[in-house]
Amino acid sequence: MEDNKITEDSANKPKNFIREIIDEDMKTNKWQGKVHTRFPPEPNGYLHIGHAKSICLNYGIAKDYKGKFNLRFDDTNPSKEEQEYVDSIIEDVKWLGSDFENRIFFASDYFEQMHYWAIELIKKGAAYVDDASADEIRENRGTLTEPGKESPCRNRSVEQNLDLFEKMKNGVFKNGEKVLRAKIDMASPNFNLRDPIMYRILHAEHHRQGNKWCIYPTYDWAHGLEDSLEKITHSICTLEFENHRPLYDWFLDELNIHHPQQIEFARLNLNYTVMSKRKLLLLVQEKYVDGWDDPRMPTISAFRRRGFTPESIRNFAEIVGVAKRDAMTDIALLEFAIREDLNHCAQRVMAVLRPLKIIITNYPDSVEELDAVNNPEDLSMGTRKIPFSRELFIEQTDFMELPPKGYHRLVPGGEVRLRYAYIIKCEEIIKNDNGEVIELHCTYDPETKSGTGSSNKKVKGTVHWVSASHAVNAEVRLYDRLFTVEAPDSDKEKDFLEFINPNSLEILTGTLIEPSLKNAKPGDRFQFERHGYFCVDSKFTKNEKLVFNRTVTLKDSWGKKN
Ligand code: ATP
Ligand code: MG
C-alpha cells in the first residue's frame, strides 16, 4: 500500500491554507491518502480568467498530491445551457493543460439518483412539498432578527408528500405551482437552513435530457450529491458558498453518503474588466465585441486568441495565490506573466506599423541578405536572413523634422542606425502638397555594417525597418482596456456599459512586416521589435490576409534606451 505521505511535488509548492488542510488530512489519513478535486462549471457561458484560477488550483492540487481531477458540468438549469458552451469549456480546460483523463461528467446524468435520494429524505420526514409560490417563500423567510414563518404544508404526511412529489415529477403541475423543500429549521440564524428549496418545476427542454424532466434540482441540493457520487475529497469553491456549507453538510449527513470537505477561497477579481457571465454575454449579444473570444474579453478563449500562452495563465494563477478574503488583482500582473513567458520564447521580427518611405540614394540597385538574431534571450533560436535594399520603410514616429530635446531617432541631417544594417543619414525631406513628410532621402555609410566591426562610429538611436519590395502587408489590431474605470460593475448609479472604452480597438491596415512572416499561421507568436508581442489572429486571418493581435506591449523599448 502506498504511504499517505505528502508527496514531493506538494512539499515543494508554496503553501496556502488549502494545501495545509490537505497536508493535515494526509497525516490523519482522513481520505486514505486520496485527493480528488473537480471543476464544476455551469455551461451557460465561456470560461473566464477567474475560472482559470479555479481550474489551476483544483488541477494543481490533484497533480501535486498524485490525486485525480474531474471536469463536471453543473447542468442543472435547463434554460440557459447550450452545447456550444460545453464544447468551449472542454477546449479551454484542455488548453490550460489541466488533465481530467477523460473524466467528464454531467450533473444531469445524476438526476435519477438525486430523485431517488429526494424520496429517501421525504420518507425520513426531512423534506416536504410546499404549495407556496417563490414570492411567498421569500416573504416568509423572516429577517436577521426574526425567524421565518413555517409553511402550512410543512406538516404534510410522508404519504401525501410522496404522492405530490410523484405528481410534480409527472408533470401534473405548472411551473412554480409546487416545490420540494428540505425540512430543517425556519428559525435558523443561517437563512440557507430555513427550509431551502430542493426541486422546482420547470417545463423546459434540457440540452442533454430533452423533455424527460420537468423538475430540476437547485444548486444547493444537487452540488453535494454530485461531489459525493464522484467521491470527491476536497470540494473547493468560492467564498459566496461559505454560508451554504452547513446545508451542504446537512444533506450529506441526512443521506449518510460519502461526504467531501467543502473549502472556500476568494474569487479572482481583475480590474478594468467584468467577470459575470451574464455581463459577458451582454457584451457579445450587443456586439460591443466580436464574440466570446474577442481579444478584449477576459475569457480564456480570448486570451488564447490574443496570444497568451497556457504557461503564462498558470503562472499568473500561481502568483495571485489563494486567499480567504476578496481582493482586486491588477491586470498588470497578468501582463507581466505573459511578457515573462514570451520574452523567452517569442521570435523577434521587424514590423513597421505606420510606414514612412526612405530611399538610400547611394545604395546600389541590389539586394543584400543581413543576419538577424531570432531571440537575444535564447541564442539557440538561431538567426535568420532579412533582405536590405535601396528602398525601405521606417516607422513614421522614428523621424521628426523639429525634434524635442533628447530625441535620438532620425532628424534632418542626423544619423541613426538601422537595426542589423547600417548607419544612415537624413539628407532630404520630401513633402506632399499639404506639407506632410512622405519620403526621406538618406545616404548610408558602407563601413558601418552591423556585426562587422569595421567602423567604430556610434549613434544614439537604432530603428527598425523593412525592405519596400520584400515587405508583407498585414493588418494589426491594437487593444486597450475594454473599460475606462477599474471597477466598471461596482457603480451603484451607472450601468457597466457606460464605462466601455470607445478606443479599445485600433486597426492598422497598412502595416508592413519582414518577409520571414509571410507564411505565419494563426496562433503564431512574435515580438515585433520595439512594439510588443503579437499573435496571428485565428478569426480574421484568411488566405492572403494576415491579421495580428497585439498580445501585450513591451515594458521598455530598447529603441529609447539605445
Ligand atoms: P456567474 O458568472 O454566472 O455567477 P460563475 O462564474 O460562478 O457564474 P460557474 O460556472 O458556477 O460560474 O463557476 C464554476 C466554478 O468556477 C465554480 O466553482 C466557481 O466557484 C469558480 N469561479 C467562478 N468565478 C470565479 C472567480 N472569479 N475566481 C475563482 N473561481 C471562480
Ligand atoms: Mg456559479
Side-chain angles (χ1 to χ4, degrees):
M1 201 182 97
E2 230 187 314
D3 239 5
N4 295 341
K5 61 180 190 298
I6 298 154
T7 62
E8 213 174 292
D9 282 346
S10 62
N12 291 336
K13 280 285 156 63
K15 281 293 156 222
N16 58 49
F17 76 96
I18 299 180
R19 285 172 185 263
E20 273 161 16
I21 292 172
I22 299 176
D23 285 353
E24 188 58 29
D25 290 349
M26 288 298 192
K27 274 190 218 142
T28 61
N29 204 22
K30 181 172 174 188
W31 306 104
Q32 292 79 47
K34 293 198 184 91
V35 172
H36 201 149
T37 59
R38 86 289 176 261
F39 174 65
E42 189 182 343
N44 61 350
Y46 280 55
L47 297 182
H48 54 58
I49 186 79
H51 296 119
K53 175 177 170 173
S54 176
I55 296 165
C56 293
L57 174 64
N58 279 291
Y59 173 67
I61 284 172
K63 179 165 150 274
D64 292 343
Y65 289 89
K66 307 233 181 304
K68 290 183 172 141
F69 166 75
N70 290 4
L71 172 59
R72 179 205 311 146
F73 290 97
D74 207 346
D75 58 347
T76 51
N77 184 0
S79 43
K80 291 183 284 179
E81 295 162 1
E82 286 174 30
Q83 189 60 36
E84 177 195 349
Y85 299 138
V86 170
D87 295 341
S88 77
I89 289 170
I90 293 173
E91 185 182 3
D92 289 351
V93 176
K94 281 191 178 160
W95 181 76
L96 276 176
S98 299
D99 189 3
F100 44 84
E101 302 174 296
N102 293 329
R103 275 190 307 278
I104 300 183
F105 298 109
F106 289 86
S108 55
D109 288 344
Y110 309 143
F111 280 173
E112 205 73 62
Q113 178 66 48
M114 291 175 185
H115 175 253
Y116 172 84
W117 274 328
I119 289 172
E120 219 170 273
L121 288 196
I122 294 173
K123 285 182 181 162
K124 279 183 76 175
Y128 63 97
V129 174
D130 197 347
D131 306 343
S133 68
D135 284 344
E136 283 165 336
I137 291 175
R138 206 172 310 118
E139 278 160 28
N140 291 326
R141 233 164 59 122
T143 63
L144 281 176
T145 50
E146 272 172 65
K149 253 211 329 257
E150 292 189 1
S151 162
C153 304
R154 199 172 197 264
N155 294 315
R156 275 181 168 149
S157 69
V158 169
E159 288 68 34
Q160 256 181 317
N161 282 319
L162 286 175
D163 178 55
L164 288 169
F165 187 51
E166 177 71 11
K167 288 188 173 131
M168 274 173 72
K169 178 184 173 247
N170 292 340
V172 173
F173 305 116
K174 292 202 278 291
N175 287 358
E177 235 181 289
K178 301 238 181 307
V179 290
L180 183 74
R181 296 177 77 176
K183 191 170 177 178
I184 310 182
D185 179 5
M186 286 306 288
S188 171
N190 184 338
F191 280 96
N192 295 307
L193 297 178
R194 293 187 182 177
D195 291 8
I197 296 175
M198 294 164 61
Y199 279 94
R200 57 224 188 297
I201 300 172
L202 259 179
H203 291 272
E205 188 168 311
H206 187 275
H207 76 122
R208 283 172 66 87
Q209 300 287 333
N211 293 308
K212 180 164 178 208
W213 296 89
C214 64
I215 53 169
Y216 286 93
T218 56
Y219 176 91
D220 281 327
W221 163 241
H223 203 81
L225 307 184
E226 297 160 20
D227 285 343
S228 181
L229 282 166
E230 293 175 19
K231 296 283 184 287
I232 298 303
T233 55
H234 300 85
S235 173
I236 301 169
C237 61
T238 37
L239 276 183
E240 68 271 24
F241 295 106
E242 197 170 16
N243 288 333
H244 296 241
R245 182 167 13 105
L247 181 53
Y248 181 97
D249 290 340
W250 190 88
F251 282 131
L252 296 175
D253 286 341
E254 284 295 311
L255 293 167
N256 195 23
I257 54 177
H258 172 78
H259 189 153
Q261 167 79 54
Q262 179 180 306
I263 306 171
E264 309 85 17
F265 72 102
R267 61 171 49 237
L268 173 77
N269 297 304
L270 209 53
N271 60 6
Y272 296 102
T273 192
V274 293
M275 221 106 87
S276 135
K277 280 189 267 190
R278 188 181 58 78
K279 288 177 183 157
L280 295 175
L281 177 63
L282 200 67
L283 291 172
V284 174
Q285 284 174 336
E286 302 292 317
K287 305 221 182 318
Y288 287 97
V289 293
D290 70 42
W292 283 94
D293 64 351
D294 183 297
R296 291 164 292 178
M297 293 279 273
T299 56
I300 297 175
S301 51
F303 285 118
R304 175 168 59 239
R305 185 173 154 203
R306 186 160 168 164
F308 279 65
T309 59
E311 290 77 16
S312 68
I313 292 181
R314 289 199 296 264
N315 289 342
F316 168 72
E318 188 94 27
I319 304 168
V320 174
V322 185
K324 259 285 180 195
R325 210 162 283 159
D326 278 321
M328 181 73 94
T329 298
D330 195 336
I331 194 151
L333 195 62
L334 185 57
E335 291 170 355
F336 164 81
I338 183 62
R339 269 192 206 105
E340 280 275 299
D341 195 26
L342 292 179
N343 183 37
H344 292 114
C345 62
Q347 185 188 323
R348 274 57 171 169
V349 294
M350 296 203 280
V352 176
L353 302 190
R354 299 171 183 87
L356 172 62
K357 187 152 195 187
I358 287 194
I359 296 180
I360 306 194
T361 52
N362 62 339
Y363 193 82
D365 211 359
S366 62
V367 179
E368 194 175 351
E369 296 276 318
L370 301 174
D371 287 312
V373 177
N374 285 337
N375 187 349
E377 295 285 320
D378 179 2
L379 295 178
S380 74
M381 284 173 70
T383 59
R384 66 188 185 285
K385 297 281 185 198
I386 36 178
F388 184 86
S389 64
R390 196 179 143 84
E391 293 193 11
L392 311 170
F393 284 101
I394 64 167
E395 210 68 61
Q396 284 169 16
T397 48
D398 282 335
F399 170 78
M400 276 185 101
E401 196 174 4
L402 300 166
K405 216 166 161 277
Y407 184 82
H408 295 311
R409 289 165 273 168
L410 204 54
V411 300
E415 286 181 310
V416 79
R417 172 171 290 283
L418 295 177
R419 178 85 157 150
Y420 302 120
Y422 302 93
I423 291 176
I424 58 165
K425 183 176 183 186
C426 176
E427 308 280 1
E428 196 185 339
I429 306 168
I430 316 293
K431 294 181 178 178
N432 63 12
D433 293 344
N434 299 328
E436 295 157 345
V437 178
I438 51 163
E439 199 173 290
L440 302 176
H441 288 182
C442 302
T443 52
Y444 86 117
D445 179 347
E447 298 301 310
T448 58
K449 186 169 174 180
S450 280
T452 58
S454 55
S455 156
N456 51 14
K457 191 191 246 182
K458 288 231 161 26
V459 288
K460 282 200 166 152
T462 302
V463 304
H464 61 275
W465 52 274
V466 291
S467 166
S469 59
H470 302 90
V472 176
N473 180 252
E475 177 179 304
V476 164
R477 298 175 154 239
L478 306 177
Y479 300 102
D480 198 352
R481 292 174 172 140
L482 191 51
F483 294 94
T484 53
V485 296
E486 280 209 49
D489 51 4
S490 70
D491 194 303
K492 295 269 179 301
E493 321 269 275
K494 290 187 181 165
D495 191 75
F496 79 105
L497 293 171
E498 290 185 42
F499 299 108
I500 291 244
N501 175 5
N503 305 312
S504 61
L505 170 62
E506 185 183 358
I507 299 179
L508 305 174
T509 51
T511 293
L512 295 171
I513 54 179
E514 60 169 78
S516 70
L517 266 64
K518 190 153 64 190
N519 297 318
K521 297 272 167 307
D524 287 353
R525 306 179 181 96
F526 302 93
Q527 185 196 91
F528 289 0
E529 295 210 40
R530 300 172 67 214
H531 285 304
Y533 295 98
F534 292 75
C535 175
V536 181
D537 187 66
S538 52
K539 195 164 189 168
F540 298 125
T541 295
K542 298 239 164 64
N543 309 323
E544 294 299 290
K545 187 180 172 198
L546 261 179
V547 179
F548 286 88
N549 293 315
R550 182 169 68 195
T551 311
V552 67
T553 56
L554 295 172
K555 213 165 20 178
D556 306 302
S557 69
W558 52 259
K560 275 186 206 125
K561 280 190 298 182
N562 286 356

